């Protein structure tokens, strides 16, 4: 990994955040630095970095450009599922992904999105495999992808993952969503109408909870929040030489970031559901606090586009909605509501 990769990505971070254009130059920079090979096994020509090395690499990317890091996180989720899939699917897709093709996932309907409304994507068994009907509410880079790992629910409640080529008949990719940040991720809803998927494209299942028990977006989501926090801390650090009162604040935030990083690196080797949720809450709180503190001290100058402070503050809000199940939301809400009794007015 080139040491200046985050700096290179930061040069285009504002455009990637606000423009619908796919961040081709940033993606090319990551590929040139070997980033597309980090998670690919050596037998396929990849670098096969350790889980801790990958976390460190993606934290570095997020500190430069969260939009690019988010896009790559969805590609990494695709790779992770393919590495657990039958070898025939690995042979079909991994070489192209290593060469620069984009793969993504459509899995939120199995974990967080619209769970209160029931399954949004249904799978019906057929003689050849499955028929898919419904929608996938959140697919990053859908119109840029060559394969989407899709999760669907069968009538008996079991779930199945399939590798869906998006050019299949019956697949409609909507226009990208009008997000408040990360616009360049071209995240869109994908609709499926009687889409046929042969059995050879099944990645996993059918089974109950095909995604497993660990929720909260996993460690990767928290890792990107950490990268964003580091970017905000660096902004504060740059101002600290002129504002001595910032020095203890920066030191406190650095200590918190170091603690979260250590927990992430430990958990990636032995993940526990409760601990994953706890560190996700801590990572989200740190992202909110560091970015808002940066905006507080940079004042009006930081609130004007394209200053990084306003962008980081907006992007931090994304972690309130991305893979944010109820336990994580409750933990963050407790922090937001703490101290509200101080605002009570009037007589007892």
């Amino acid at each position: 990994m080139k040491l200046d990769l985050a700096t290179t990505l930061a040069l285009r971070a504002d455009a990637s955040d606000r423009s619908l254009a796919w961040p081709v130059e940033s993606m090319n920079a990551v590929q040139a630095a070997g980033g597309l090979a980090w998670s690919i096994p050596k037998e396929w020509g990849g670098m096969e970095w350790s889980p801790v090395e990958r976390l460190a690499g993606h934290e570095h990317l997020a500190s430069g450009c969260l939009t690019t890091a988010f896009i790559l996180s969805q590609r990494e989720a695709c790779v992770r599922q393919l590495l657990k899939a039958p070898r025939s699917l690995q042979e079909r897709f991994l070489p192209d992904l290593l060469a620069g093709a984009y793969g993504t996932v459509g899995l939120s309907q199995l974990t967080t999105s619209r769970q209160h409304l029931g399954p949004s994507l249904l799978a019906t068994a057929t003689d050849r495999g499955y028929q898919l009907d419904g929608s996938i509410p959140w697919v990053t880079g859908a119109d840029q992808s060559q394969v989407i790992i899709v999760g669907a629910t069968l009538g008996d409640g079991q779930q199945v993952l399939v590798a869906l080529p998006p050019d299949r008949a019956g697949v409609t990719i909507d226009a990208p969503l009008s997000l408040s940040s990360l616009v360049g991720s071209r995240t869109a809803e994908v609709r499926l109408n009687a889409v046929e998927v042969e059995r050879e494209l099944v990645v996993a299942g059918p089974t109950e909870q095909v995604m497993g028990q660990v929720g909260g977006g996993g460690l990767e989501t928290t890792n990107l929040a950490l990268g964003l926090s580091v970017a905000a801390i660096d902004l504060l650090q740059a101002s600290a030489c002129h504002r001595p009162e910032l020095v203890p604040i920066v030191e406190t935030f650095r200590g918190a970031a170091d603690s979260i990083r250590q927990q992430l690196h430990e958990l990636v080797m032995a993940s526990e559901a409760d601990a994953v949720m706890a560190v996700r809450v801590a990572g989200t709180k740190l992202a909110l606090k560091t970015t808002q503190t940066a905006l507080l001290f940079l004042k009006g100058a930081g609130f004007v586009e394209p200053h990084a402070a306003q962008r980081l503050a907006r992007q931090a809000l994304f972690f309130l909605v991305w893979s944010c199940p109820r336990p994580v939301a409750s933990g963050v809400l407790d922090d937001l509501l703490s101290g509200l009794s101080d605002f009570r007015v009037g007589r007892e």
Side-chain angles (χ1 to χ4, degrees), residues 13-35:
D14 186 68
S16 297
D17 180 72
R18 296 193 296 152
S19 171
L20 273 173
W22 187 247
V24 174
E25 291 182 339
S26 295
M27 296 291 284
N28 287 343
V30 173
Q31 184 175 8

Side-chain angles (χ1 to χ4, degrees), residues 26-296:
S26 295
M27 296 291 284
N28 287 343
V30 173
Q31 184 175 8
L36 300 187
W38 295 344
S39 61
I40 304 291
K42 292 180 180 178
E43 67 172 305
W44 300 108
M47 299 172 68
E48 200 172 336
W49 276 13
S50 71
V52 170
E53 288 175 322
R54 294 199 300 272
L55 281 179
H58 286 277
E59 179 195 330
H60 182 72
L61 298 182
S63 70
C65 176
L66 185 64
T67 305
T68 303
F70 171 55
I71 289 170
L72 288 165
S73 76
Q74 303 307 282
R75 184 255 189 196
E76 291 301 289
C78 175
V79 170
R80 283 197 301 274
Q81 295 302 329
L82 286 172
L83 290 177
K84 295 183 288 186
R87 186 173 180 84
S88 59
L89 287 178
Q90 297 175 22
E91 293 173 345
R92 179 168 176 175
F93 294 112
L94 287 181
D96 288 342
L97 291 177
L98 183 61
Y102 185 68
T104 188
V105 294
L107 303 173
S108 62
Q109 66 276 5
L110 297 184
T111 55
T112 55
S113 294
R114 306 180 185 178
Q115 289 297 291
H116 61 291
L117 300 177
S120 66
L121 184 62
L122 297 175
T124 304
T126 66
D127 292 339
R128 295 186 58 212
Y130 294 96
Q131 176 180 303
L132 304 181
D133 293 276
S135 66
I136 311 169
W138 187 274
V139 183
T140 294
D143 60 0
Q144 305 295 313
S145 65
Q146 282 69 54
V147 59
I148 306 173
I149 304 299
V150 170
T153 304
L154 281 76
D156 61 2
Q158 294 195 96
Q159 299 172 341
V160 62
L161 298 185
V162 301
L164 175 68
D167 58 358
R168 283 291 168 96
V171 176
T172 301
I173 300 175
D174 286 357
L177 297 167
S178 182
L179 303 178
S180 296
S181 61
L182 312 177
V183 176
S185 69
R186 296 188 65 82
T187 298
E189 184 162 0
V190 177
R191 304 179 190 278
L192 294 88
N193 181 25
V195 176
E196 296 291 337
V197 177
E198 57 268 29
R199 193 169 290 106
E200 290 76 17
L201 289 175
V202 173
V203 172
T207 186
E208 295 183 1
Q209 292 187 310
V210 71
M211 295 296 296
Q213 299 291 330
V214 177
L219 302 176
E220 295 76 19
T221 304
T222 306
N223 192 55
L224 297 197
L226 175 62
L228 185 74
S229 299
V230 168
I233 295 169
D234 287 345
L235 274 183
L236 289 167
Q237 179 76 61
S239 298
C241 58
H242 305 294
R243 307 189 66 170
E245 70 271 24
L246 279 176
V247 173
I249 296 173
V250 169
E251 291 176 350
T252 298
F253 281 149
R254 290 275 188 212
D258 290 344
S259 176
I260 289 173
R261 183 180 300 109
Q262 180 179 349
Q263 293 176 65
L264 286 172
H265 291 185
E266 291 174 353
L267 284 170
V268 78
M269 305 308 296
S271 183
E272 300 175 7
D274 289 345
V276 170
M277 291 287 186
V279 76
R280 172 68 199 277
V281 171
T284 301
K285 288 160 59 175
L286 184 65
L288 292 169
K289 291 176 185 295
T290 55
T291 57
Q292 291 177 20
T293 300
L295 195 57
L296 178 68

